[in-house]
Amino acid sequence: MKRCFLVFVAAVLGMAGLSSPASAAAPTGCTTSVQWVQQGNNYWDGLGSVQCTSGRYLAKEICINNQTGSGYVLYGTQVVNAPATTTVLCYMGNSARAVYAVTDPPEAGVTGCVGWSEWVSQGSNLFWGRGQAQCDTGRYRAKVLCRNEQSGDYYILFGYQTVTAPAAVSLTCNTGNTAQTVQAVADPPAAGLAGCMTWSAWIVQGSSLYYGRGSAQCDSGRFQARLACHNVQTGQDYVAYGPVVTGPATSVGECQYGNSVTAVTAQAA
């Protein structure tokens, strides 16, 4: 029997805006790896390993059930001091998607948050993207950046369910849409500029009009989207801005016609 405890759940990761106190001895200089471990001819498991240059920590990994497509989080029970390596093993036949170092003893606030996306299907034609968020400490809910695969448009959904760590919380996009990015949102919300997501997309009008659009969304604070634009004909680079908004609103900016977005950031205002 693997000496881990399982947090069931229905993608990199400390989440932006979810801070830790300076007094916590968080591990630093961490490297991680995942691999297959085979037992006999038919049994295999996903193994996650983590090693840091400082701190005291154990391992946490996101595992995927390859039959159902659902994910879950496992914590290891072996706590080590740097620079030792500690591992955690998924359940039989399941693969390890990512592994992280977890501070021991736990930090205060909302810390150690990870997010990942899955496919959920019903029948042969109904499907949608589901996002999962999980943290080591604190109370939080899920936020998902979804993409409409038919139109190419993006939108953000906030979950209504708030959970306490180390539980995982899920949120699904609209039918046929994919979950692109998943974050944990602190409850109550963090102060200042926190929980920012950015994304870009091509906008097409008619057969020949097109341009790059960049968007930024934060859970709190005042900000605007800052776009790095590129003129594909002349090679010129320039900056464009979206309007100043207050979280959780979204600031949307656009490059000139025919120009692409190369980067988007949320700039405090």
Side-chain angles (χ1 to χ4, degrees):
M1 179 69 69
K2 302 178 181 66
R3 298 183 60 192
C4 302
F5 67 87
L6 172 64
V7 182
F8 281 100
V9 303
V12 89
L13 171 78
M15 307 308 294
L18 306 182
S19 58
S20 307
S23 59
T28 61
C30 300
T31 57
T32 63
S33 64
V34 295
Q35 64 187 92
W36 280 112
V37 178
Q38 189 168 353
Q39 300 178 19
N41 295 326
N42 300 315
Y43 300 104
W44 64 94
D45 315 273
L47 176 70
S49 302
V50 60
Q51 187 268 338
C52 303
T53 58
S54 68
R56 180 174 171 83
Y57 48 91
L58 65 148
K60 174 177 77 171
E61 69 179 336
I62 299 173
C63 299
I64 300 296
N65 185 314
N66 294 321
Q67 284 68 50
T68 66
S70 296
Y72 56 92
V73 166
L74 278 178
Y75 285 84
T77 56
Q78 182 188 17
V79 179
V80 299
N81 293 307
T85 298
T86 185
T87 62
V88 58
L89 194 65
C90 295
Y91 286 103
M92 193 173 297
N94 295 180
S95 57
R97 176 175 292 186
V99 62
Y100 307 89
V102 178
T103 303
D104 183 78
E107 302 173 80
V110 180
T111 66
C113 298
V114 295
W116 68 97
S117 58
E118 307 166 350
W119 275 114
V120 180
S121 61
Q122 290 185 345
S124 58
N125 298 316
L126 295 179
F127 56 93
W128 61 90
R130 176 171 61 195
Q132 304 281 355
Q134 185 272 343
C135 303
D136 298 332
T137 60
R139 284 178 57 81
Y140 48 90
R141 56 191 175 117
K143 177 177 73 172
V144 179
L145 174 64
C146 301
R147 185 176 190 270
N148 185 314
E149 297 299 321
Q150 284 70 48
S151 67
D153 290 336
Y154 293 81
Y155 57 94
I156 283 183
L157 291 179
F158 283 85
Y160 294 102
Q161 180 187 12
T162 299
V163 300
T164 300
V169 63
S170 64
L171 181 62
T172 56
C173 299
N174 297 330
T175 303
N177 297 179
T178 57
Q180 301 290 305
T181 306
V182 188
Q183 286 184 354
V185 179
D187 184 27
L193 190 63
C196 298
M197 282 185 176
T198 61
W199 64 96
S200 61
W202 275 111
I203 305 301
V204 179
Q205 294 181 348
S207 59
S208 58
L209 294 178
Y210 57 93
Y211 50 93
R213 173 183 292 170
S215 303
Q217 184 276 335
C218 301
D219 299 334
S220 58
R222 281 176 56 81
F223 62 95
Q224 63 183 151
R226 183 183 187 278
L227 286 63
C229 299
H230 180 71
N231 186 316
V232 295
Q233 282 74 41
T234 66
Q236 179 186 6
D237 295 314
Y238 60 95
V239 174
Y241 294 91
V244 174
V245 299
T246 301
T250 300
S251 176
V252 181
E254 296 172 350
C255 298
Q256 298 172 13
Y257 283 115
N259 296 181
S260 61
V261 178
T262 57
V264 185
T265 57
Q267 179 173 290

PDB file of all heavy atoms in Angstrom, residues 5-28:
ATOM      1  N   PHE A   5      -1.598  10.133   1.035  1.00  0.00           N
ATOM      2  CA  PHE A   5      -3.024  10.336   1.181  1.00  0.00           C
ATOM      3  C   PHE A   5      -3.536  11.017  -0.066  1.00  0.00           C
ATOM      4  O   PHE A   5      -2.840  11.783  -0.706  1.00  0.00           O
ATOM      5  CB  PHE A   5      -3.366  11.131   2.456  1.00  0.00           C
ATOM      6  CG  PHE A   5      -2.912  12.542   2.470  1.00  0.00           C
ATOM      7  CD1 PHE A   5      -3.701  13.541   1.926  1.00  0.00           C
ATOM      8  CD2 PHE A   5      -1.695  12.874   3.027  1.00  0.00           C
ATOM      9  CE1 PHE A   5      -3.280  14.844   1.933  1.00  0.00           C
ATOM     10  CE2 PHE A   5      -1.279  14.180   3.040  1.00  0.00           C
ATOM     11  CZ  PHE A   5      -2.059  15.167   2.505  1.00  0.00           C
ATOM     12  N   LEU A   6      -4.760  10.696  -0.415  1.00  0.00           N
ATOM     13  CA  LEU A   6      -5.332  11.065  -1.700  1.00  0.00           C
ATOM     14  C   LEU A   6      -6.341  12.176  -1.553  1.00  0.00           C
ATOM     15  O   LEU A   6      -7.185  12.144  -0.680  1.00  0.00           O
ATOM     16  CB  LEU A   6      -5.994   9.832  -2.315  1.00  0.00           C
ATOM     17  CG  LEU A   6      -6.817  10.047  -3.584  1.00  0.00           C
ATOM     18  CD1 LEU A   6      -5.906  10.529  -4.701  1.00  0.00           C
ATOM     19  CD2 LEU A   6      -7.509   8.765  -3.969  1.00  0.00           C
ATOM     20  N   VAL A   7      -6.196  13.179  -2.382  1.00  0.00           N
ATOM     21  CA  VAL A   7      -7.207  14.210  -2.479  1.00  0.00           C
ATOM     22  C   VAL A   7      -7.900  14.026  -3.815  1.00  0.00           C
ATOM     23  O   VAL A   7      -7.311  14.248  -4.864  1.00  0.00           O
ATOM     24  CB  VAL A   7      -6.576  15.617  -2.423  1.00  0.00           C
ATOM     25  CG1 VAL A   7      -7.658  16.678  -2.488  1.00  0.00           C
ATOM     26  CG2 VAL A   7      -5.763  15.780  -1.162  1.00  0.00           C
ATOM     27  N   PHE A   8      -9.141  13.522  -3.800  1.00  0.00           N
ATOM     28  CA  PHE A   8      -9.836  13.254  -5.046  1.00  0.00           C
ATOM     29  C   PHE A   8     -10.216  14.558  -5.731  1.00  0.00           C
ATOM     30  O   PHE A   8     -10.530  15.545  -5.078  1.00  0.00           O
ATOM     31  CB  PHE A   8     -11.111  12.434  -4.807  1.00  0.00           C
ATOM     32  CG  PHE A   8     -10.855  10.973  -4.617  1.00  0.00           C
ATOM     33  CD1 PHE A   8     -10.825  10.434  -3.344  1.00  0.00           C
ATOM     34  CD2 PHE A   8     -10.618  10.150  -5.700  1.00  0.00           C
ATOM     35  CE1 PHE A   8     -10.582   9.106  -3.162  1.00  0.00           C
ATOM     36  CE2 PHE A   8     -10.367   8.817  -5.514  1.00  0.00           C
ATOM     37  CZ  PHE A   8     -10.347   8.289  -4.238  1.00  0.00           C
ATOM     38  N   VAL A   9     -10.198  14.554  -7.070  1.00  0.00           N
ATOM     39  CA  VAL A   9     -10.654  15.680  -7.860  1.00  0.00           C
ATOM     40  C   VAL A   9     -11.480  15.151  -8.999  1.00  0.00           C
ATOM     41  O   VAL A   9     -11.400  13.999  -9.326  1.00  0.00           O
ATOM     42  CB  VAL A   9      -9.485  16.508  -8.410  1.00  0.00           C
ATOM     43  CG1 VAL A   9      -8.584  17.002  -7.296  1.00  0.00           C
ATOM     44  CG2 VAL A   9      -8.680  15.697  -9.395  1.00  0.00           C
ATOM     45  N   ALA A  10     -12.318  15.945  -9.516  1.00  0.00           N
ATOM     46  CA  ALA A  10     -13.200  15.473 -10.596  1.00  0.00           C
ATOM     47  C   ALA A  10     -12.447  14.932 -11.819  1.00  0.00           C
ATOM     48  O   ALA A  10     -11.285  15.061 -11.810  1.00  0.00           O
ATOM     49  CB  ALA A  10     -14.211  16.548 -11.022  1.00  0.00           C
ATOM     50  N   ALA A  11      -3.227  20.625 -14.971  1.00  0.00           N
ATOM     51  CA  ALA A  11      -1.905  21.910 -16.591  1.00  0.00           C
ATOM     52  C   ALA A  11      -1.398  21.411 -15.422  1.00  0.00           C
ATOM     53  O   ALA A  11      -1.951  22.355 -15.500  1.00  0.00           O
ATOM     54  CB  ALA A  11      -0.938  22.889 -17.482  1.00  0.00           C
ATOM     55  N   VAL A  12       2.236  26.148 -15.481  1.00  0.00           N
ATOM     56  CA  VAL A  12       2.500  26.291 -14.608  1.00  0.00           C
ATOM     57  C   VAL A  12       2.668  27.097 -14.142  1.00  0.00           C
ATOM     58  O   VAL A  12       3.301  28.110 -14.978  1.00  0.00           O
ATOM     59  CB  VAL A  12       2.744  26.577 -15.695  1.00  0.00           C
ATOM     60  CG1 VAL A  12       2.451  27.091 -15.964  1.00  0.00           C
ATOM     61  CG2 VAL A  12       2.478  25.953 -16.356  1.00  0.00           C
ATOM     62  N   LEU A  13       3.458  25.009  -9.490  1.00  0.00           N
ATOM     63  CA  LEU A  13       2.846  26.271  -9.893  1.00  0.00           C
ATOM     64  C   LEU A  13       2.384  27.064  -8.711  1.00  0.00           C
ATOM     65  O   LEU A  13       1.432  26.716  -8.082  1.00  0.00           O
ATOM     66  CB  LEU A  13       1.704  25.949 -10.828  1.00  0.00           C
ATOM     67  CG  LEU A  13       0.779  27.047 -11.222  1.00  0.00           C
ATOM     68  CD1 LEU A  13       1.469  27.895 -12.281  1.00  0.00           C
ATOM     69  CD2 LEU A  13      -0.496  26.510 -11.746  1.00  0.00           C
ATOM     70  N   GLY A  14       3.013  28.103  -8.281  1.00  0.00           N
ATOM     71  CA  GLY A  14       2.466  29.060  -7.339  1.00  0.00           C
ATOM     72  C   GLY A  14       1.599  30.025  -8.107  1.00  0.00           C
ATOM     73  O   GLY A  14       1.993  30.500  -9.150  1.00  0.00           O
ATOM     74  N   MET A  15       0.422  30.346  -7.609  1.00  0.00           N
ATOM     75  CA  MET A  15      -0.488  31.185  -8.359  1.00  0.00           C
ATOM     76  C   MET A  15      -0.169  32.655  -8.109  1.00  0.00           C
ATOM     77  O   MET A  15       0.153  33.065  -7.000  1.00  0.00           O
ATOM     78  CB  MET A  15      -1.940  30.909  -7.943  1.00  0.00           C
ATOM     79  CG  MET A  15      -2.287  29.415  -8.023  1.00  0.00           C
ATOM     80  SD  MET A  15      -1.888  28.662  -9.613  1.00  0.00           S
ATOM     81  CE  MET A  15      -3.035  29.523 -10.645  1.00  0.00           C
ATOM     82  N   ALA A  16      -0.327  33.467  -9.160  1.00  0.00           N
ATOM     83  CA  ALA A  16      -0.042  34.890  -9.055  1.00  0.00           C
ATOM     84  C   ALA A  16      -0.955  35.534  -8.027  1.00  0.00           C
ATOM     85  O   ALA A  16      -2.152  35.302  -8.013  1.00  0.00           O
ATOM     86  CB  ALA A  16      -0.237  35.562 -10.419  1.00  0.00           C
ATOM     87  N   GLY A  17      -0.383  36.337  -7.151  1.00  0.00           N
ATOM     88  CA  GLY A  17      -1.169  37.073  -6.183  1.00  0.00           C
ATOM     89  C   GLY A  17      -1.447  36.321  -4.905  1.00  0.00           C
ATOM     90  O   GLY A  17      -2.037  36.865  -3.984  1.00  0.00           O
ATOM     91  N   LEU A  18      -1.094  35.034  -4.793  1.00  0.00           N
ATOM     92  CA  LEU A  18      -1.329  34.269  -3.589  1.00  0.00           C
ATOM     93  C   LEU A  18      -0.007  34.190  -2.843  1.00  0.00           C
ATOM     94  O   LEU A  18       0.856  33.377  -3.143  1.00  0.00           O
ATOM     95  CB  LEU A  18      -1.853  32.879  -3.945  1.00  0.00           C
ATOM     96  CG  LEU A  18      -3.090  32.874  -4.855  1.00  0.00           C
ATOM     97  CD1 LEU A  18      -3.548  31.456  -5.094  1.00  0.00           C
ATOM     98  CD2 LEU A  18      -4.204  33.695  -4.238  1.00  0.00           C
ATOM     99  N   SER A  19       0.223  35.052  -1.863  1.00  0.00           N
ATOM    100  CA  SER A  19       1.538  35.237  -1.286  1.00  0.00           C
ATOM    101  C   SER A  19       1.731  34.419  -0.028  1.00  0.00           C
ATOM    102  O   SER A  19       0.786  33.953   0.586  1.00  0.00           O
ATOM    103  CB  SER A  19       1.768  36.713  -0.984  1.00  0.00           C
ATOM    104  OG  SER A  19       0.776  37.183  -0.098  1.00  0.00           O
ATOM    105  N   SER A  20       2.994  34.249   0.363  1.00  0.00           N
ATOM    106  CA  SER A  20       3.370  33.520   1.557  1.00  0.00           C
ATOM    107  C   SER A  20       4.125  34.459   2.483  1.00  0.00           C
ATOM    108  O   SER A  20       4.791  35.385   2.039  1.00  0.00           O
ATOM    109  CB  SER A  20       4.268  32.338   1.190  1.00  0.00           C
ATOM    110  OG  SER A  20       3.675  31.545   0.204  1.00  0.00           O
ATOM    111  N   PRO A  21       4.049  34.227   3.790  1.00  0.00           N
ATOM    112  CA  PRO A  21       4.786  35.084   4.706  1.00  0.00           C
ATOM    113  C   PRO A  21       6.270  34.863   4.589  1.00  0.00           C
ATOM    114  O   PRO A  21       6.737  33.765   4.321  1.00  0.00           O
ATOM    115  CB  PRO A  21       4.262  34.628   6.083  1.00  0.00           C
ATOM    116  CG  PRO A  21       3.798  33.224   5.855  1.00  0.00           C
ATOM    117  CD  PRO A  21       3.275  33.193   4.462  1.00  0.00           C
ATOM    118  N   ALA A  22       7.048  35.930   4.811  1.00  0.00           N
ATOM    119  CA  ALA A  22       8.493  35.835   4.649  1.00  0.00           C
ATOM    120  C   ALA A  22       9.110  34.895   5.670  1.00  0.00           C
ATOM    121  O   ALA A  22      10.196  34.372   5.459  1.00  0.00           O
ATOM    122  CB  ALA A  22       9.108  37.225   4.763  1.00  0.00           C
ATOM    123  N   SER A  23       8.409  34.661   6.818  1.00  0.00           N
ATOM    124  CA  SER A  23       8.968  33.826   7.873  1.00  0.00           C
ATOM    125  C   SER A  23       8.942  32.344   7.528  1.00  0.00           C
ATOM    126  O   SER A  23       9.628  31.552   8.153  1.00  0.00           O
ATOM    127  CB  SER A  23       8.203  34.053   9.176  1.00  0.00           C
ATOM    128  OG  SER A  23       6.830  33.749   8.994  1.00  0.00           O
ATOM    129  N   ALA A  24       8.128  31.941   6.555  1.00  0.00           N
ATOM    130  CA  ALA A  24       8.037  30.533   6.197  1.00  0.00           C
ATOM    131  C   ALA A  24       9.303  30.103   5.465  1.00  0.00           C
ATOM    132  O   ALA A  24       9.808  30.807   4.597  1.00  0.00           O
ATOM    133  CB  ALA A  24       6.820  30.290   5.314  1.00  0.00           C
ATOM    134  N   ALA A  25       9.824  28.930   5.835  1.00  0.00           N
ATOM    135  CA  ALA A  25      11.051  28.433   5.216  1.00  0.00           C
ATOM    136  C   ALA A  25      10.712  27.660   3.953  1.00  0.00           C
ATOM    137  O   ALA A  25      10.857  26.431   3.890  1.00  0.00           O
ATOM    138  CB  ALA A  25      11.818  27.552   6.201  1.00  0.00           C
ATOM    139  N   ALA A  26      10.236  28.366   2.951  1.00  0.00           N
ATOM    140  CA  ALA A  26       9.850  27.712   1.701  1.00  0.00           C
ATOM    141  C   ALA A  26      11.082  27.181   0.984  1.00  0.00           C
ATOM    142  O   ALA A  26      12.125  27.846   0.958  1.00  0.00           O
ATOM    143  CB  ALA A  26       9.106  28.700   0.806  1.00  0.00           C
ATOM    144  N   PRO A  27      11.010  25.990   0.402  1.00  0.00           N
ATOM    145  CA  PRO A  27      12.155  25.448  -0.339  1.00  0.00           C
ATOM    146  C   PRO A  27      12.454  26.278  -1.578  1.00  0.00           C
ATOM    147  O   PRO A  27      11.550  26.837  -2.197  1.00  0.00           O
ATOM    148  CB  PRO A  27      11.696  24.034  -0.701  1.00  0.00           C
ATOM    149  CG  PRO A  27      10.203  24.084  -0.650  1.00  0.00           C
ATOM    150  CD  PRO A  27       9.863  25.071   0.417  1.00  0.00           C
ATOM    151  N   THR A  28      13.723  26.366  -1.935  1.00  0.00           N
ATOM    152  CA  THR A  28      14.140  27.117  -3.119  1.00  0.00           C
ATOM    153  C   THR A  28      15.056  26.250  -3.971  1.00  0.00           C
ATOM    154  O   THR A  28      15.594  25.236  -3.520  1.00  0.00           O
ATOM    155  CB  THR A  28      14.885  28.404  -2.723  1.00  0.00           C
ATOM    156  OG1 THR A  28      16.061  28.064  -1.979  1.00  0.00           O
ATOM    157  CG2 THR A  28      14.000  29.307  -1.888  1.00  0.00           C
TER     158      THR A  28
END
